[in-house]
Amino acid sequence: MKVFIDGESGTVGLQIYERLENRSDIELLKIAPELSENADERKKFLNAADFVFLCLPDEAAKQSVSLINETGNTKTRIIDASTAHRTHPDWTYGFPELSKEREEEIRISKRVATPGCYASGFVALVYPLVKAGIIKPDFPVYSYGISGYSGAGKAFIEEYKKADERIPAKLYALDQNHKHLPEMEMHGGLTLTPMFNPVIDNFYSGMVVNVPLQTCGKFGIEEVSDVYKKHYIGGRVKFKGINANDAPLFAVNELSGSDDMEIYVFGSDERILLTARFDNLGKGASGAAVQCFDIMKGKE
């Protein structure tokens, strides 16, 4: 089974490579670094592989897909970690925990787009409640999240790594135009774009996504908890319970280095806080891509 990582030198590509490099069930195809941006050379590798991971900016990811499509190649299966295809009707959204049907779609798909990091936590929290009718698709959902700086791009990563003093946490996407919003709306089962405020903080990896709910007496914390208990049985996403964290403070980066996600329900019947904790480089990126690969490949 031949596998090619297009964009291996980036953060996500490196993490995928580390997860696959010692596996005996695959052969990793390696392009010479000086030819990694040569379209003709990339075209050869893209079409020689059984599976391709795209770890690229959006436009470059679209170019890679075109380099496969233009040859008439129907063999190569693609897992795209960019934003380019997450709401595309011909691509499968790579979050198998949404449903058994979604997992089966991933298993047979030739084109899978893995979720964005913040979107992973948001969809994990919101979709089951919409599906169960606890909140309506047009409910005005608000969400906020905190992430390590590894998910903020090369410029921010270098800024944080080189800083002599601690850089303070920073709000961003204040124009309410974050690139994850379209997939958060679509795959969260919503018809109204949510409001979302992300924060980047001074630790490398790990994150939480929160969705606060004012219930107005329409539902209670036990009802919400029961939805998650029934929805998340086995798999990478694990429901941890109501007010399940014993510590007075909740560590944002507790799952750094893990490919799992934890779901918590905090608060009371009147004011509920939904929380997803995971690693932005794990279940939020590289871990999710490899998870989809194993489903598609049929790993024992």
Side-chain angles (χ1 to χ4, degrees), residues 17-173:
Y17 183 84
E18 289 174 2
R19 285 167 166 80
L20 298 179
E21 64 177 329
N22 293 319
R23 285 178 53 161
S24 59
D25 57 336
I26 62 173
E27 176 189 352
L28 280 172
L29 304 180
K30 298 265 298 176
I31 192 169
E34 66 273 14
L35 296 174
S36 62
E37 296 185 13
N38 181 294
D40 289 335
E41 191 70 10
R42 284 173 53 226
K43 185 175 182 178
K44 293 177 187 177
F45 279 82
L46 288 164
N47 286 282
D50 298 294
F51 282 89
V52 167
F53 290 91
L54 301 181
C55 308
L56 301 162
D58 290 0
E59 291 307 312
K62 292 176 183 178
Q63 182 196 43
S64 292
V65 174
S66 71
L67 292 173
I68 293 171
N69 290 343
E70 68 185 27
T71 67
N73 178 357
T74 59
K75 177 197 71 169
T76 299
R77 304 172 75 181
I78 306 173
I79 301 168
D80 185 7
S82 81
T83 312
H85 300 102
R86 291 173 184 162
T87 59
H88 195 292
D90 296 334
W91 288 65
T92 302
Y93 194 62
F95 200 100
E97 291 85 1
L98 287 186
S99 65
K100 288 295 182 184
E101 293 76 15
R102 181 57 56 89
E103 183 175 353
E104 183 58 26
E105 288 175 19
I106 294 168
R107 190 181 311 281
I108 64 176
S109 181
K110 293 288 184 74
R111 303 287 186 266
V112 172
T114 55
C117 55
Y118 284 115
S120 296
F122 181 89
V123 170
L125 294 171
V126 173
Y127 175 78
L129 300 186
V130 174
K131 183 181 180 182
I134 300 294
I135 59 177
K136 303 300 182 186
D138 61 352
F139 186 85
V141 179
Y142 167 65
S143 178
Y144 64 98
I146 304 170
S147 174
Y149 62 79
S150 57
K154 289 184 178 179
F156 269 115
I157 291 173
E158 290 305 311
E159 178 184 350
Y160 276 85
K161 282 184 174 179
K162 292 178 180 178
D164 294 328
E165 299 180 4
R166 181 175 176 84
I167 298 176
K170 295 180 180 180
L171 280 165
Y172 66 104

Side-chain angles (χ1 to χ4, degrees), residues 219-244:
F219 52 86
I221 195 167
E222 291 283 356
E223 192 176 357
V224 169
S225 175
D226 285 343
V227 170
Y228 292 134
K229 283 179 184 176
K230 293 174 183 176
H231 193 93
Y232 294 119
I233 301 172
R236 291 288 188 187
V237 182
K238 307 173 190 304
F239 176 61
K240 305 299 284 188
I242 299 173
N243 297 318

